[in-house]
Amino acid sequence: MLYFDCDYSNGMHPAILKRLTETNDEYAGTYGNDKYSDSAKQRIREACGDPDADIFFLIGGTQANAVALDAMLKPWQGVVCAPTGHINVYEAGAVEFTGHKIIVLPSHVDGKIRPDELHILLQAAEEADNKEHMVIPAIVYITIPTEFGTIYSSQEVKVIHEVCKQHNCKLFVDGARLGYALGADGNDITLKFLAEHCDCFYIGGTKVGAIFGEAVVFPHNSAPEHFFAFIKQHGILYAKGRFTGLQFDTLFTDGLYESIGRHADALARQLVNLFVKYGVGEPVVKSPTNQQFVILSHDVMKKLSENVVFEKWGTYDAGHKICRFVTSWSTTQQDIDELEQILKSM
Amino acid sequence: MLYFDCDYSNGMHPAILKRLTETNDEYAGTYGNDKYSDSAKQRIREACGDPDADIFFLIGGTQANAVALDAMLKPWQGVVCAPTGHINVYEAGAVEFTGHKIIVLPSHVDGKIRPDELHILLQAAEEADNKEHMVIPAIVYITIPTEFGTIYSSQEVKVIHEVCKQHNCKLFVDGARLGYALGADGNDITLKFLAEHCDCFYIGGTKVGAIFGEAVVFPHNSAPEHFFAFIKQHGILYAKGRFTGLQFDTLFTDGLYESIGRHADALARQLVNLFVKYGVGEPVVKSPTNQQFVILSHDVMKKLSENVVFEKWGTYDAGHKICRFVTSWSTTQQDIDELEQILKSM
Amino acid sequence: MLYFDCDYSNGMHPAILKRLTETNDEYAGTYGNDKYSDSAKQRIREACGDPDADIFFLIGGTQANAVALDAMLKPWQGVVCAPTGHINVYEAGAVEFTGHKIIVLPSHVDGKIRPDELHILLQAAEEADNKEHMVIPAIVYITIPTEFGTIYSSQEVKVIHEVCKQHNCKLFVDGARLGYALGADGNDITLKFLAEHCDCFYIGGTKVGAIFGEAVVFPHNSAPEHFFAFIKQHGILYAKGRFTGLQFDTLFTDGLYESIGRHADALARQLVNLFVKYGVGEPVVKSPTNQQFVILSHDVMKKLSENVVFEKWGTYDAGHKICRFVTSWSTTQQDIDELEQILKSM
Amino acid sequence: MLYFDCDYSNGMHPAILKRLTETNDEYAGTYGNDKYSDSAKQRIREACGDPDADIFFLIGGTQANAVALDAMLKPWQGVVCAPTGHINVYEAGAVEFTGHKIIVLPSHVDGKIRPDELHILLQAAEEADNKEHMVIPAIVYITIPTEFGTIYSSQEVKVIHEVCKQHNCKLFVDGARLGYALGADGNDITLKFLAEHCDCFYIGGTKVGAIFGEAVVFPHNSAPEHFFAFIKQHGILYAKGRFTGLQFDTLFTDGLYESIGRHADALARQLVNLFVKYGVGEPVVKSPTNQQFVILSHDVMKKLSENVVFEKWGTYDAGHKICRFVTSWSTTQQDIDELEQILKSM
């Protein structure tokens, strides 16, 4: 069976397992007060070109979104995002659970938000006669890559950031799969760029080779007051924090993090090209990252499912579904070659 | 000055003041355990043709929405509404404050939701592969009249209710201005109808002649378990509940509630017709109730403002705004006649 | 029947009804933007000797506690109070509903907190090794009068306030029955004193002659940021705010507020003295205000209940209960005289 | 340096690391839908003698407490515990963050609750005249071992459970360190016993040899409705759930879980006996588990700190502090022998 359903159904990257094994017998401080966490933070700060970045390690993406937004938002403020944004769809209402409203922008097939539409929404909020009866938008949430694997150019982020600043909003970047953007063909966004152009972002580990872990970055000492207490109160403070630190220390040694992204992205490009080459399916949107969304007929889906595991993402039309194919650090050239044999014969 | 800005900038209806005065010296039970509350409930049950309706009196509309939805929703469930729904726009995130997500349908100029769009949304939610990661829609919220003064026909509500039942959703009707729907030309919705076709609705008093008060109705003994505790916990239990009871007892004596609606609606129809007759402005949508939304040029707005108070509701285009004119129990034929003189001369 | 069960089972003070009647036909701004609210705020500011006090009118006590504490507390902070404090016992968890912890001090029969015990608790919190895992006490909540009708001297409040300041805590005074403290024999606390020695207090109207209403005072322009939005989000913004304003305008005209307190307190002193005089029962604690807690045997309770309505408050011992007798603006000398006849004959 | 400060400052047990390494290259389902999680659940069900137990794996103790209590409690209900209970002191208000009140019992030096005091509290709650204004106690929370390392006998738990049932309360057992109770000298509580005598308990892994992980057990198919959604909404659903499953599968193979407890407990007994033997300090309470609380003078503390790491827990008197010494799977006989040399020479 070939597995292209998920980038977290595999284990951890061997380099991480190696260090886990090497350091397991050591004594270390708890809750992230340990030398591995310190070193990881230092490496991330260097990668971000921001010696003053505040960095916190968490376990997963939903909790990173929920706790950071909760701590950054005042009770009367809300967060703006695409209707397809992860926080709006796949987090079981975790943001609303903390009492905050999500305000949605118009929908686009590439999953990105548009600066002009953002400007209209924020301006209308500012000019509303009854604005003291309304939730005040205060953070704009984007994902890089988006839910559909697409990426923003640095120019696009800059413009969004300008709109945010113009309306006293902060920019939050969900980077649960950030490595796959950093490694993408045509990408010109860097960690340094993010540290300059957003107010909070996180570097996803869980979906990029770690056993778990997300590194939340507040550039330039901008962590919300008492952020540690928010983490504890949300129930997401990890006791043996050394292991999250150790993983990010490894991911940020010798460029491992980006190289995982490049590896998976390259194989994903091959993958989608094979679908096109053999006339099996067309991508619903051009994605340069490790997630490919391909339109497949019901017949093709059925046949392909005999040998390949992938995810049905949604309905395209009466006869077709949008299917998701995902690569990861553990995907190999051989997997792609085997897929080619299967597609060729369909 | 002529006031058409609001239906709660006036005092209470004289019939209510009269009974307040008559009964003020009496001793009564607290928190709604009193004979006036009992009598009011009885009258409402009769008006609803539902002897088993559970009825709770609250102070205002936002709290009625927030507490009823909070009590009716399980933590993993959300409420569906029009993007223009009051809970989604003008309640400062009160629903999200209690931890629940609002899921929005497509937008329409008349403020109504469409059964087919509702069906698509609810069906997609049911069929989603990842639905355990998603908020489950469980209540559909509509307002009668809508934010734009329009009303649903009984047939429209029936179809919406059918879609709800088909998808295990409940139907909630925000009736903060319900009296103006009941009194509207062409309306065929009654309290009896609502008691049969929705799971919770409330009868607004604050905007329909009361000093304050909303009557929340759960038809056929369907009040959520421990609803009283929810009211207390939300901080909205009123100590001298006799006075809310007394007001609804008065509003539901001799048909006062509906007659307030009819009076204001009739004057509102005259009002909007005058705008059209004198070519001053066109309604943005046909409203048979006490709120009229008229498109006015900036010049007209400025001149009219010298003698008339009304609300700027939103932008129509570069040169025009949508303006809201509202009538109430206290609006008189003379107010309309004076407005005619002003419009005639513009 | 003689009613001593409650100070809000009566109607509103005649002076309030009179002004309600006089002004009912007027047009007024909504949500507290009206001349009566402005005038009431001005009168309260004068009574407090604080021209810069921020004042907000709400409907009831539980909501005043919940919204003010919620707005004053950061998410990681908690509120300290006596175990018998109203927020800890009789508000159905309204404070916790907003996400905040209540931290309890040792219990005392007079319902008061002790500065030395407060100091110990706050110091321990400051010195705790794991304090980043703990809720940080940030507000101290007291009630004046207490749940048992007792009052703090100004000296006691000063010392508590000093302890608060020493530990970076704020002092919050629940004044749901404040009028009965201001009118009490031996009381030396004034509104001017409170405006200097606490960070927030409210002046209760619901239990002191109003139809509803509490005036929340943040001395010296210290209202929490966006407090209006908190009020709206809690669902407790009152549309026809003019009526709350009007009531406080009346209560603060010609000293009505304090005179209501003095009247009820004087009758309550007579009442408790009669119980002692006729050997029917002893007060459980000396209360100079309108609430008297008397220890009655089961037999006495039963017999008294034939002619008098009062509340069973709690168990004293196997044969006795603590019973509450309450006076109000509507209690008369004749009520007390009739009670004497009853007690005399027992 | 000798480390006795913490049972989670060490790495994972070698048996866990071994299996992590062996299985890392495998593909597996996500979010706990994998064969290791299935197997672990099966083993735990067997250990509990409850083939129908619902089992959920989480990352840490605070989140296990918060999410299980949140899901088990209705909005109007609260949880009762000792004032020293972990949820009441060291979880930064995580329970209140989800909207629920913690109701505290009287304090005892052994950290246990007393059935008679529990009965009094629950009965008073049931009999209160104003109980609809009060939070209703619905769960009793205990920890095994307690915060002070003590354990309940099975008889004690039975009686507490009886009191709970008598008052319609559920019993919740926080087992973050449960292994150390199971392995303790004199302990007669088993997993089978817990599955019969409480409504929810969890088996702590983080502090008992795992890299992370807690297994929440709802005996006899009693998991709260939609518990998975609660987990997701709290932000604590772990993507690569196979690794939690794998750890518990290992801990419940060949009795590893209990043997870790026995090992650490035996060394802890030696440890505390050495303090007594050499007159260095006395235990503040008799603990048969891996945490020992010893009263040390300031001088002793200072000198001991030169070679031994331990935690200052609290003040005993002006000249002494209570200090905590903790053993774990990684503590060795050699550690104890070295400690003896140090204590001997003091």
Side-chain angles (χ1 to χ4, degrees):
Chain A
M1 210 65 172
L2 287 174
Y3 295 102
F4 293 109
D5 54 328
C6 189
D7 40 14
Y8 46 96
S9 53
N10 48 345
M12 68 191 108
H13 190 279
I16 289 175
L17 179 56
K18 182 162 176 285
R19 295 210 54 205
L20 219 63
T21 305
E22 289 168 358
T23 65
N24 188 56
D25 285 345
E26 297 175 12
Y27 166 91
T30 54
Y31 301 117
N33 300 308
D34 66 274
K35 67 178 176 182
Y36 298 113
S37 297
D38 290 346
S39 171
K41 288 178 187 176
Q42 208 44 44
R43 288 182 194 274
I44 292 173
R45 287 189 189 106
E46 277 163 30
C48 293
D50 180 358
D52 298 324
D54 290 323
I55 297 171
F56 297 83
F57 296 118
L58 297 171
I59 296 291
T62 296
Q63 69 185 222
N65 288 327
V67 75
L69 292 173
D70 187 28
M72 293 171 75
L73 290 169
K74 303 288 185 190
W76 59 88
Q77 297 176 334
V79 53
V80 178
C81 75
T84 51
H86 204 268
I87 54 170
N88 195 47
V89 183
Y90 293 118
E91 301 190 354
V95 168
E96 289 88 355
F97 176 66
T98 69
H100 299 291
K101 186 178 190 64
I102 297 176
I103 303 162
V104 292
L105 286 161
S107 188
H108 295 283
V109 70
D110 61 5
K112 297 195 209 174
I113 67 170
R114 301 292 186 266
D116 54 337
E117 292 170 348
L118 178 63
H119 172 71
I120 289 168
L121 184 148
L122 297 178
Q123 187 157 30
E126 274 172 19
E127 294 177 354
D129 271 345
N130 291 317
K131 81 178 155 190
E132 54 193 1
H133 293 225
M134 299 166 78
V135 172
I136 297 176
I139 296 181
V140 174
Y141 165 99
I142 61 175
T143 51
I144 301 181
T146 69
E147 293 300 306
F148 299 106
T150 62
I151 56 175
Y152 289 90
S153 71
S154 66
Q155 183 56 27
E156 286 174 320
V157 174
K158 266 186 200 169
V159 175
I160 289 170
H161 189 212
E162 282 307 312
V163 175
C164 287
K165 286 192 291 188
Q166 187 185 341
H167 296 285
N168 294 310
C169 272
K170 290 180 175 171
L171 181 58
F172 180 96
V173 175
D174 172 337
R177 287 192 171 93
L178 188 59
Y180 302 112
L182 299 180
D185 237 39
N187 169 64
D188 69 345
I189 282 178
T190 61
L191 293 172
K192 283 187 176 68
F193 173 85
L194 288 177
E196 289 307 316
H197 291 90
C198 68
D199 299 279
C200 179
F201 65 99
Y202 66 93
I203 303 168
T206 311
K207 293 171 178 171
V208 193
I211 182 169
F212 59 78
E214 317 290 310
V216 182
V217 182
F218 296 101
H220 311 303
N221 275 140
S222 66
E225 197 186 0
H226 280 257
F227 189 60
F228 185 92
F230 280 91
I231 293 173
K232 182 73 189 168
Q233 191 170 62
H234 277 239
I236 56 175
L237 180 63
Y238 176 38
K240 293 187 168 179
R242 67 195 276 181
F243 287 121
T244 334
L246 185 73
Q247 291 184 83
F248 276 96
D249 198 51
T250 308
L251 288 170
F252 278 81
T253 298
D254 299 335
L256 178 59
Y257 188 67
E258 290 195 25
S259 83
I260 288 175
R262 266 195 307 276
H263 167 83
D265 291 346
L267 294 177
R269 276 196 305 278
Q270 289 187 37
L271 179 149
V272 73
N273 289 340
L274 292 174
F275 275 93
V276 176
K277 179 178 173 185
Y278 294 107
V280 177
E282 288 290 325
V284 73
V285 63
K286 188 173 166 44
S287 155
T289 66
N290 76 318
Q291 294 189 97
Q292 299 295 334
F293 296 83
V294 184
I295 302 161
L296 298 182
S297 72
H298 293 175
D299 281 355
V300 166
M301 279 170 56
K302 199 180 160 190
K303 197 160 166 213
L304 198 59
S305 297
E306 291 166 15
N307 300 299
V308 181
V309 180
F310 56 92
E311 198 170 348
K312 283 146 222 127
W313 197 254
T315 297
Y316 183 76
D317 62 26
H320 297 79
K321 279 201 181 285
I322 299 169
C323 297
R324 188 180 74 155
F325 296 81
V326 189
T327 60
S328 77
W329 72 264
S330 71
T331 310
T332 62
Q333 184 62 49
Q334 189 183 334
D335 293 334
I336 301 295
D337 295 345
E338 289 184 24
L339 179 66
E340 178 161 19
Q341 295 312 311
I342 293 164
L343 293 178
K344 192 187 287 188
S345 68
M346 289 188 73
Chain B
M1 211 64 170
L2 288 173
Y3 296 102
F4 292 108
D5 54 329
C6 190
D7 39 16
Y8 45 96
S9 53
N10 47 346
M12 67 192 108
H13 190 280
I16 290 175
L17 179 56
K18 181 161 177 286
R19 293 209 55 205
L20 220 64
T21 305
E22 288 167 358
T23 65
N24 188 56
D25 285 344
E26 297 175 12
Y27 166 90
T30 54
Y31 302 118
N33 300 308
D34 65 275
K35 66 178 177 183
Y36 298 113
S37 297
D38 290 345
S39 171
K41 288 177 188 177
Q42 208 44 45
R43 289 181 192 275
I44 291 173
R45 286 188 189 107
E46 278 163 30
C48 293
D50 179 358
D52 298 322
D54 289 323
I55 296 170
F56 296 84
F57 296 118
L58 296 171
I59 297 290
T62 295
Q63 70 185 224
N65 287 325
V67 77
L69 292 172
D70 188 27
M72 293 171 76
L73 291 169
K74 304 286 182 189
W76 59 87
Q77 298 175 333
V79 54
V80 178
C81 75
T84 49
H86 203 268
I87 56 169
N88 195 46
V89 183
Y90 293 118
E91 302 190 354
V95 168
E96 291 88 355
F97 176 65
T98 69
H100 300 291
K101 186 178 189 64
I102 297 175
I103 303 163
V104 292
L105 286 161
S107 188
H108 295 284
V109 69
D110 61 4
K112 296 195 208 174
I113 67 170
R114 301 293 185 265
D116 55 337
E117 292 171 349
L118 177 63
H119 172 70
I120 290 169
L121 184 148
L122 296 178
Q123 186 157 31
E126 272 171 19
E127 294 177 354
D129 272 346
N130 292 316
K131 82 177 155 191
E132 55 193 0
H133 293 225
M134 298 165 78
V135 172
I136 297 177
I139 297 181
V140 174
Y141 164 99
I142 60 174
T143 50
I144 301 182
T146 70
E147 293 299 306
F148 299 106
T150 61
I151 56 175
Y152 290 90
S153 70
S154 66
Q155 183 55 28
E156 286 175 320
V157 173
K158 267 186 199 170
V159 176
I160 289 170
H161 189 213
E162 283 305 312
V163 175
C164 287
K165 285 193 289 187
Q166 187 184 342
H167 297 285
N168 295 310
C169 272
K170 291 179 174 169
L171 181 59
F172 179 96
V173 175
D174 173 337
R177 286 192 173 92
L178 189 58
Y180 303 112
L182 299 180
D185 236 37
N187 169 64
D188 69 346
I189 283 180
T190 62
L191 293 172
K192 283 187 177 67
F193 174 85
L194 289 177
E196 288 308 315
H197 291 89
C198 69
D199 298 280
C200 179
F201 66 98
Y202 64 93
I203 303 167
T206 312
K207 293 171 177 170
V208 193
I211 181 170
F212 59 79
E214 318 289 310
V216 182
V217 181
F218 296 100
H220 311 303
N221 275 139
S222 67
E225 196 187 3
H226 280 257
F227 189 60
F228 186 90
F230 280 91
I231 293 173
K232 181 73 189 171
Q233 192 171 62
H234 277 240
I236 56 175
L237 180 61
Y238 175 40
K240 294 187 169 178
R242 67 193 277 181
F243 287 120
T244 333
L246 185 73
Q247 290 183 82
F248 276 95
D249 198 52
T250 309
L251 287 170
F252 278 79
T253 298
D254 298 334
L256 177 60
Y257 189 67
E258 289 194 28
S259 83
I260 289 175
R262 265 195 308 276
H263 166 82
D265 291 346
L267 295 178
R269 276 197 306 278
Q270 289 188 35
L271 179 149
V272 73
N273 288 341
L274 292 175
F275 274 94
V276 177
K277 176 177 176 186
Y278 295 107
V280 178
E282 288 290 326
V284 73
V285 63
K286 186 172 167 47
S287 156
T289 65
N290 75 318
Q291 294 188 96
Q292 299 295 333
F293 296 83
V294 185
I295 302 162
L296 298 183
S297 72
H298 293 176
D299 281 357
V300 165
M301 279 169 57
K302 198 177 161 193
K303 195 156 170 216
L304 197 59
S305 297
E306 291 166 15
N307 299 302
V308 182
V309 179
F310 56 93
E311 198 170 346
K312 282 145 221 128
W313 197 254
T315 296
Y316 183 76
D317 63 24
H320 298 77
K321 279 200 181 286
I322 299 169
C323 297
R324 187 180 74 156
F325 295 84
V326 190
T327 59
S328 77
W329 72 265
S330 71
T331 310
T332 61
Q333 184 63 47
Q334 187 183 337
D335 293 334
I336 300 296
D337 295 343
E338 288 184 25
L339 178 67
E340 179 162 17
Q341 295 312 312
I342 292 163
L343 294 178
K344 191 188 288 191
S345 68
M346 286 188 76
Chain C
M1 209 68 171
L2 286 175
Y3 295 102
F4 293 109
D5 54 329
C6 190
D7 39 16
Y8 46 97
S9 53
N10 48 347
M12 68 192 108
H13 191 278
I16 289 176
L17 178 58
K18 181 162 176 285
R19 295 216 44 212
L20 220 62
T21 305
E22 288 167 357
T23 65
N24 188 55
D25 286 344
E26 296 176 13
Y27 166 91
T30 55
Y31 301 118
N33 300 307
D34 66 274
K35 66 178 177 184
Y36 298 112
S37 297
D38 290 346
S39 170
K41 288 177 187 177
Q42 208 45 43
R43 289 181 192 275
I44 291 173
R45 286 189 189 106
E46 276 164 30
C48 293
D50 179 358
D52 299 322
D54 290 322
I55 297 171
F56 297 84
F57 296 117
L58 297 170
I59 296 291
T62 296
Q63 71 184 221
N65 287 327
V67 77
L69 292 172
D70 187 28
M72 293 171 77
L73 290 169
K74 303 288 183 190
W76 59 88
Q77 298 176 334
V79 54
V80 178
C81 75
T84 49
H86 203 267
I87 55 169
N88 195 47
V89 183
Y90 293 119
E91 301 190 354
V95 167
E96 290 88 356
F97 176 65
T98 70
H100 300 290
K101 188 178 188 62
I102 297 175
I103 303 162
V104 292
L105 286 161
S107 189
H108 295 283
V109 70
D110 61 5
K112 297 195 209 175
I113 68 171
R114 301 293 185 265
D116 53 338
E117 292 170 347
L118 178 63
H119 173 71
I120 289 168
L121 184 148
L122 296 178
Q123 187 157 32
E126 273 171 18
E127 293 177 354
D129 271 345
N130 291 318
K131 83 175 152 192
E132 54 192 3
H133 293 225
M134 298 166 79
V135 172
I136 298 177
I139 297 181
V140 174
Y141 164 99
I142 60 174
T143 50
I144 301 182
T146 69
E147 294 299 307
F148 299 105
T150 62
I151 57 175
Y152 290 91
S153 72
S154 66
Q155 183 56 28
E156 287 174 318
V157 173
K158 265 187 200 169
V159 176
I160 290 171
H161 189 215
E162 281 307 311
V163 175
C164 287
K165 285 193 290 186
Q166 187 184 341
H167 297 286
N168 294 309
C169 273
K170 291 178 174 171
L171 181 58
F172 179 96
V173 175
D174 173 337
R177 286 193 172 92
L178 189 58
Y180 303 111
L182 299 180
D185 237 37
N187 169 65
D188 67 348
I189 282 180
T190 62
L191 293 173
K192 283 188 176 65
F193 174 84
L194 289 176
E196 287 309 314
H197 291 90
C198 68
D199 299 279
C200 179
F201 65 98
Y202 65 92
I203 302 167
T206 311
K207 293 171 178 171
V208 192
I211 180 169
F212 59 80
E214 316 291 309
V216 181
V217 181
F218 296 101
H220 311 302
N221 275 140
S222 66
E225 196 186 2
H226 281 258
F227 189 61
F228 186 91
F230 279 91
I231 293 174
K232 180 74 190 171
Q233 192 170 64
H234 277 238
I236 56 175
L237 179 63
Y238 175 39
K240 294 187 169 179
R242 66 194 276 181
F243 287 119
T244 334
L246 184 72
Q247 291 182 83
F248 277 95
D249 198 52
T250 308
L251 288 170
F252 278 80
T253 298
D254 298 334
L256 177 59
Y257 189 67
E258 290 194 28
S259 84
I260 289 174
R262 265 195 308 276
H263 167 82
D265 291 347
L267 294 177
R269 275 197 306 278
Q270 291 188 36
L271 179 148
V272 74
N273 289 341
L274 292 175
F275 276 93
V276 177
K277 177 177 176 187
Y278 295 107
V280 177
E282 287 291 325
V284 74
V285 63
K286 187 174 164 47
S287 155
T289 65
N290 76 316
Q291 294 187 96
Q292 299 295 334
F293 296 83
V294 184
I295 303 163
L296 299 183
S297 72
H298 294 176
D299 281 354
V300 164
M301 278 170 57
K302 200 177 160 194
K303 194 158 169 216
L304 197 58
S305 296
E306 292 165 15
N307 299 300
V308 181
V309 179
F310 56 93
E311 197 169 350
K312 282 144 221 127
W313 197 254
T315 296
Y316 183 75
D317 63 24
H320 297 79
K321 278 200 181 286
I322 300 169
C323 297
R324 188 181 73 157
F325 296 81
V326 190
T327 59
S328 76
W329 71 264
S330 70
T331 311
T332 61
Q333 184 62 48
Q334 186 184 336
D335 293 334
I336 300 296
D337 294 345
E338 290 183 24
L339 178 67
E340 180 162 17
Q341 295 312 313
I342 294 164
L343 294 178
K344 190 186 289 188
S345 69
M346 289 188 72
Chain D
M1 210 65 171
L2 287 174
Y3 295 102
F4 293 108
D5 54 328
C6 189
D7 40 15
Y8 45 97
S9 54
N10 48 346
M12 67 191 107
H13 190 280
I16 289 175
L17 179 57
K18 183 162 175 287
R19 293 206 60 203
L20 219 63
T21 305
E22 289 167 358
T23 64
N24 189 56
D25 286 346
E26 297 175 12
Y27 166 90
T30 54
Y31 301 117
N33 300 308
D34 66 274
K35 66 177 176 183
Y36 298 113
S37 297
D38 290 346
S39 171
K41 288 177 188 176
Q42 208 45 43
R43 289 182 193 275
I44 291 172
R45 287 189 189 106
E46 278 162 31
C48 293
D50 180 359
D52 298 323
D54 291 322
I55 297 170
F56 296 84
F57 297 117
L58 297 171
I59 296 291
T62 296
Q63 69 185 223
N65 288 326
V67 76
L69 293 173
D70 187 27
M72 293 170 76
L73 290 169
K74 303 288 183 191
W76 59 87
Q77 297 176 333
V79 54
V80 177
C81 75
T84 50
H86 204 266
I87 54 168
N88 195 46
V89 183
Y90 293 118
E91 302 191 354
V95 168
E96 290 89 354
F97 175 65
T98 69
H100 300 291
K101 186 178 190 65
I102 297 175
I103 303 162
V104 292
L105 286 160
S107 189
H108 295 283
V109 70
D110 61 5
K112 296 195 210 174
I113 67 170
R114 302 292 185 266
D116 54 337
E117 292 170 348
L118 178 63
H119 172 71
I120 290 168
L121 185 147
L122 296 178
Q123 187 157 31
E126 273 172 18
E127 294 177 353
D129 271 346
N130 291 316
K131 82 176 153 191
E132 55 192 359
H133 293 226
M134 299 166 79
V135 173
I136 297 176
I139 296 181
V140 174
Y141 163 100
I142 60 174
T143 51
I144 302 181
T146 69
E147 294 299 306
F148 299 106
T150 61
I151 56 175
Y152 289 90
S153 71
S154 66
Q155 184 54 30
E156 286 174 320
V157 173
K158 265 186 202 169
V159 175
I160 290 171
H161 189 213
E162 282 307 312
V163 175
C164 288
K165 285 192 291 188
Q166 188 184 341
H167 297 285
N168 294 310
C169 272
K170 291 179 173 169
L171 180 59
F172 178 97
V173 175
D174 173 337
R177 287 190 172 93
L178 187 58
Y180 303 112
L182 299 180
D185 238 39
N187 170 64
D188 68 347
I189 282 180
T190 62
L191 293 172
K192 282 187 178 65
F193 174 85
L194 289 176
E196 288 308 315
H197 291 90
C198 68
D199 299 280
C200 179
F201 66 99
Y202 65 93
I203 303 167
T206 311
K207 294 171 177 170
V208 192
I211 180 169
F212 59 79
E214 317 291 309
V216 181
V217 181
F218 296 100
H220 311 304
N221 274 140
S222 66
E225 195 186 3
H226 280 257
F227 190 60
F228 186 92
F230 280 91
I231 293 174
K232 180 72 190 172
Q233 192 170 63
H234 277 239
I236 56 177
L237 180 63
Y238 175 39
K240 293 186 168 179
R242 66 193 278 180
F243 287 120
T244 333
L246 185 72
Q247 292 184 82
F248 276 95
D249 198 52
T250 308
L251 288 170
F252 278 80
T253 298
D254 299 335
L256 178 59
Y257 188 67
E258 290 194 27
S259 84
I260 288 175
R262 268 195 307 277
H263 167 83
D265 291 346
L267 295 178
R269 276 196 305 278
Q270 290 188 36
L271 180 148
V272 72
N273 289 340
L274 292 174
F275 274 93
V276 176
K277 178 178 175 185
Y278 295 107
V280 178
E282 288 290 327
V284 72
V285 63
K286 187 172 165 48
S287 156
T289 66
N290 76 317
Q291 296 188 94
Q292 299 294 336
F293 295 83
V294 185
I295 302 162
L296 298 182
S297 73
H298 294 175
D299 281 356
V300 165
M301 278 170 56
K302 198 178 162 194
K303 196 158 169 216
L304 197 60
S305 297
E306 290 166 16
N307 300 299
V308 181
V309 179
F310 56 92
E311 198 169 347
K312 283 144 220 125
W313 198 253
T315 296
Y316 183 76
D317 64 23
H320 298 78
K321 280 203 181 282
I322 299 168
C323 297
R324 188 181 74 155
F325 295 80
V326 190
T327 59
S328 77
W329 72 264
S330 71
T331 310
T332 62
Q333 184 62 49
Q334 188 183 334
D335 293 335
I336 301 296
D337 294 345
E338 290 185 23
L339 178 66
E340 178 160 22
Q341 295 311 312
I342 293 164
L343 293 178
K344 191 188 288 189
S345 69
M346 288 189 72

